[in-house]
Structure formats: C-alpha cells, structure tokens
Amino acid sequence: MIRNCPDCSTEMEMNCFIVNPYGIQIQKKRKGLFKNTKSVPKAAVCTSCGHVTLYVDNFKAYKD
C-alpha cells in the first residue's frame, strides 16, 4: 500500500522500524483466553518534510 504524506502529499518511505530496547506493541484485549490481538508497528517517513506515521500490517485483525 502506498502512503502519501498528510502534510505535503509526497509519497512516504515505508517499512521503517522503531528501535527500542523494550519493544513497542499495539494490543487489543478481547474476551476469552489467548484472544488478544498484538502487532509490532512500523513507520512511514516523508522524505520531504519529515512527517512520521505509525501503522500495522494486520489492521483488519483489530476489527470486531
């Protein structure tokens, strides 16, 4: 999926990663045992203005 910068409409550089020794996860708790949805976010960076957007590849897993 191509992402365009919301500030300047330039195509963003995809698949950049956030480096953190503790790790970053986006999690949605669901009812039931072992039914949580977890994702490691990626970043998209605009090479023109520096805007950064976080996203997850499996976004459909968060839909109820």
Side-chain angles (χ1 to χ4, degrees), residues 20-39:
N20 181 347
Y22 301 106
I24 295 174
Q25 286 187 348
I26 297 174
Q27 181 175 356
K28 181 176 182 177
K29 293 192 180 267
R30 298 179 183 269
K31 293 181 181 176
L33 191 60
F34 304 116
K35 301 235 179 191
N36 293 346
T37 302
K38 294 180 184 178
S39 299

Side-chain angles (χ1 to χ4, degrees), residues 37-54:
T37 302
K38 294 180 184 178
S39 299
V40 175
K42 293 182 180 178
V45 180
C46 178
T47 58
S48 294
C49 72
H51 182 88
V52 176
T53 300
L54 299 178

